[in-house]
């Protein structure tokens, strides 16, 4: 049986990571788990896509890192949202809102060929 979880919509991973980190600093596994939780287990974030995204986000100054001890007493790299990252989250959230409204408008049953 196929896994009912989906890969993320292309281009949304960084926005979702920023949103997750707006809640609190987290290590990589925690970020992936939180996205899965917040999506109702619809989205699965693989480590193969998460860590390259975190590296890109760190280079852009959207996140900063520090080493901390986890709740399981393990040492892990934690990612934290920066002020630049918070601004980027606002930009990406607004762009997503515009795009989703446009797509919903196109998918709306109110459109008929005669209306165009």
């Amino acid at each position: 049986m196929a896994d009912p979880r989906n890969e993320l919509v292309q281009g949304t991973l960084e926005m979702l990571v920023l949103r997750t980190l707006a809640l609190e600093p987290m290590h990589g596994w925690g970020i992936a788990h939180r996205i899965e939780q917040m999506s109702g287990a619809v989205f699965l974030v693989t480590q193969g896509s998460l860590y390259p995204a975190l590296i890109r986000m760190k280079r852009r100054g959207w996140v900063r890192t520090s080493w901390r001890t986890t709740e399981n007493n393990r040492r892990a790299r934690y990612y934290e949202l920066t002020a630049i990252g918070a601004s980027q989250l606002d930009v990406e959230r607004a762009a997503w809102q515009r795009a989703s409204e446009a797509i919903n408008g196109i998918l709306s049953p109110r459109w008929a060929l005669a209306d165009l």
Side-chain angles (χ1 to χ4, degrees), residues 7-75:
E7 292 287 328
L8 294 175
V9 175
Q10 188 171 4
T12 62
L13 177 58
E14 292 177 354
M15 175 180 63
L16 297 179
V17 171
L18 290 171
R19 174 61 181 121
T20 302
L21 292 176
L23 300 172
E24 62 180 324
M26 288 183 223
H27 49 73
W29 183 87
I31 294 167
H33 183 65
R34 185 63 55 88
I35 290 172
E36 187 176 345
Q37 278 182 322
M38 293 172 73
S39 72
V42 171
F43 295 130
L44 171 66
V45 179
T46 64
Q47 291 187 7
S49 60
L50 178 61
Y51 287 102
L54 287 167
I55 290 169
R56 285 191 306 273
M57 296 167 71
K58 185 176 178 189
R59 284 188 193 137
R60 293 173 182 154
W62 298 354
V63 299
R64 64 177 151 258
T65 62
S66 60
W67 288 96
R68 299 183 190 181
T69 304
T70 68
E71 57 280 354
N72 297 328
N73 206 27
R74 301 173 86 178
R75 190 168 152 79

Side-chain angles (χ1 to χ4, degrees), residues 57-105:
M57 296 167 71
K58 185 176 178 189
R59 284 188 193 137
R60 293 173 182 154
W62 298 354
V63 299
R64 64 177 151 258
T65 62
S66 60
W67 288 96
R68 299 183 190 181
T69 304
T70 68
E71 57 280 354
N72 297 328
N73 206 27
R74 301 173 86 178
R75 190 168 152 79
R77 185 187 306 265
Y78 274 71
Y79 298 86
E80 183 176 356
L81 192 65
T82 64
I84 296 169
S87 295
Q88 184 62 29
L89 175 58
D90 291 341
V91 168
E92 295 206 17
R93 189 185 314 221
W96 176 259
Q97 188 69 33
R98 278 192 312 277
S100 65
E101 287 173 4
I103 291 169
N104 286 334

